[in-house]
Amino acid sequence: MTKRLAAALFVLCWLWVFASAWREPRAYQFDFKTYYIASQVASVGQSPYNVHNLRAAGGNPHILPFCYPLATLSLFQPLSQLDYPVAHRVWLGIKAAALALLFLLWRRRFLTPIDWWVLLGASLLAFQAAVMWDVKVGNITVLEQLCLWTGFAFLLMKRTTMFVFFTVLASIAKLVPIAFLILLFIPALRSRGNTIRAVAGVAALAVITVLPFASAPHLWPQYIHAVVSQHPPLQANPSVIGVLDELARLPDTQFLAVPWIKWTMLAAYYALLFLVSRRLVARSLASGSVERCIYVAVFLYALAAPRLIIYSYAIVIVPALAMLLPLAGNQRVGVYALLAAMCLGGLPILPTAAGKFISDVSPWLLLWGIWLTLTVLDRAAERAEATPTELVPNARLYPTHS
């Protein structure tokens, strides 16, 4: 009964979020407003990458820049023909349907042992409410995640052509998810055919990205500039570049704004990530578990991404639940988790700028905390020569033949 009440409460919270966005088109989905206006601007021959064009067309000085490939606009062209309040609600309905399908996919294929109330609660609040942020700002992330996790589901069935198709589909807007095609090279899947599929997937995305610029080559440098010039604040971008950018703004650490110092710090970060992760990655590859390799790849993707906007943290909800919850019975892990939960909310109260900085970066710190927990426990199990099922009692992630 308690679990059902919890699930019902989280469903009501989700309905509340969608109802609020439905009632107030002007206060929600400002990312969608950018897509909508950019599509209209492009249709009359103007540059969608010139933010002044967007703000003039939308009559709003606060419209955000558009920084996706031209191919993305084809998705929004039909919506741009509608009055904005109608288009806003249609897009919200599309996102609601995509989110329902995503939850169903997560629960049935990746999180079968986990109760619905846990999934609904985590999707609502985890990583500073990443999924809720996506709904509120109207970004494309939910659709991206639906395509990506559909591809992962096909990969578990070793239907690699469908995995490549959905990974390419997930990458059309933001490009970087195409990196997951590297999963085709893990020992359990490596083959000549999968190498060809990976190359074909990268080539297909390149064609989809570049071809629309053939009729307007002057827009290509504008697109590149729009992508590289984005420096969201740390609160919206808790990632390695977000941290370095924020530190460069502080009086005592402004030296990080010097390009060579910033690049050196970035290289040091990736070296640290490699040193911390190499054993867990090697054991995952040796395990023969495709599912475990997917989860490890997702964590590394999130930790390595130079820019990871807060709503993109939705990608780590499934691996965090799948890999951490089986460890809940470990007394040491339970103590650490309780201590972190008790202390995390107090960090923003630290004096001067430190409190706000730690509050803004807390999703990234949480991600690192989960990753370090997994690496430490995996190393302890390796030293004790424990079987994988003794480390984490989940045969899908740690099969006995590793």
Side-chain angles (χ1 to χ4, degrees):
M1 179 62 72
T2 303
K3 294 179 180 180
R4 290 181 180 178
L5 287 175
L9 176 62
F10 289 128
V11 168
L12 288 174
C13 288
W14 272 118
L15 291 175
W16 181 26
V17 171
F18 276 96
S20 299
W22 181 276
R23 289 195 309 267
E24 302 180 50
R26 293 184 180 180
Y28 289 86
Q29 298 203 117
F30 42 83
D31 275 5
F32 172 70
K33 185 69 173 287
T34 293
Y35 307 153
Y36 176 87
I37 297 296
S39 183
Q40 291 184 331
V41 165
S43 68
V44 296
Q46 296 182 345
S47 171
Y49 301 111
N50 186 330
V51 70
H52 300 295
N53 291 343
L54 304 185
R55 290 170 179 173
N60 185 339
H62 303 296
I63 291 177
L64 298 174
F66 179 75
C67 54
Y68 296 153
L70 285 178
T72 312
L73 292 177
S74 60
L75 173 65
F76 301 101
Q77 185 60 39
L79 294 176
S80 69
Q81 307 302 313
L82 305 173
D83 291 338
Y84 181 73
V86 176
H88 165 96
R89 293 182 173 112
V90 171
W91 180 243
L92 189 65
I94 291 172
K95 289 183 69 84
L99 193 62
L101 290 172
L102 182 62
F103 287 169
L104 193 62
L105 177 65
W106 282 354
R107 176 66 172 77
R108 291 193 172 180
R109 190 58 196 90
F110 299 96
L111 300 172
T112 305
I114 293 175
D115 290 330
W116 265 109
W117 73 272
V118 176
L119 173 57
L120 291 170
S123 63
L124 182 72
L125 300 172
F127 296 99
Q128 287 194 348
V131 182
M132 193 195 309
W133 267 114
D134 179 69
V135 173
K136 292 177 70 174
V137 304
N139 196 263
I140 203 169
T141 295
V142 164
L143 296 178
E144 173 193 276
Q145 293 301 308
L146 179 59
C147 291
L148 199 56
W149 286 97
T150 300
F152 290 155
F154 278 115
L155 191 64
L156 291 179
M157 295 183 284
K158 298 189 177 179
R159 296 179 60 182
T160 51
T161 299
M162 294 302 295
F163 164 68
V164 171
F165 172 79
F166 279 101
T167 302
V168 171
L169 204 59
S171 306
I172 289 174
K174 302 178 184 178
L175 304 184
V176 285
I178 199 67
F180 285 111
L181 291 184
I182 199 171
L183 287 166
L184 292 172
F185 297 95
I186 66 176
L189 296 171
R190 189 183 302 148
S191 69
R192 182 179 178 182
N194 283 341
T195 299
I196 294 172
R197 289 181 180 92
V199 172
V202 173
L205 181 62
V207 170
I208 292 170
T209 302
V210 175
L211 191 60
F213 288 97
S215 59
H218 65 285
L219 293 181
W220 177 255
Q222 295 182 35
Y223 161 63
I224 298 298
H225 179 265
V227 172
V228 301
S229 64
Q230 295 300 305
H231 292 278
L234 180 60
Q235 184 179 19
N237 179 31
S239 61
V240 58
I241 290 294
V243 169
L244 292 177
D245 284 347
E246 186 68 20
L247 290 174
R249 297 185 186 106
L250 300 178
D252 297 333
T253 50
Q254 286 184 343
F255 63 90
L256 289 176
V258 179
W260 74 266
I261 296 179
K262 181 177 181 178
W263 287 109
T264 301
M265 294 291 291
L266 191 62
Y269 171 82
Y270 286 123
L272 174 64
L273 180 60
F274 171 77
L275 291 173
V276 169
S277 309
R278 68 188 192 281
R279 288 190 179 182
L280 181 56
V281 171
R283 281 168 60 81
S284 299
L285 292 173
S287 72
S289 169
V290 175
E291 187 168 3
R292 186 184 182 191
C293 288
I294 289 172
Y295 294 157
V296 168
V298 168
F299 272 119
L300 287 174
Y301 171 88
L303 288 166
R307 186 177 71 181
L308 195 70
I309 306 302
I310 185 63
Y311 40 67
S312 294
Y313 273 78
I315 196 174
V316 291
I317 291 175
V318 167
L321 292 176
M323 298 188 79
L324 274 186
L325 286 187
L327 297 172
N330 184 303
Q331 184 177 1
R332 181 181 299 177
V333 174
V335 170
Y336 291 161
L338 178 61
L339 183 62
M342 291 173 62
C343 296
L344 198 60
L347 294 177
I349 312 302
L350 291 173
T352 66
K356 183 180 185 305
F357 180 86
I358 294 176
S359 175
D360 291 345
V361 83
S362 60
W364 192 59
L365 295 178
L366 176 60
L367 187 63
W368 264 105
I370 294 172
W371 187 242
L372 290 174
T373 299
L374 293 172
T375 56
V376 168
L377 290 176
D378 191 78
R379 187 169 300 180
E382 184 181 22
R383 286 197 302 266
E385 296 184 348
T387 62
T389 50
E390 289 172 345
L391 172 61
V392 177
N394 187 332
R396 294 188 305 163
L397 301 184
Y398 297 86
T400 55
H401 65 267
S402 66

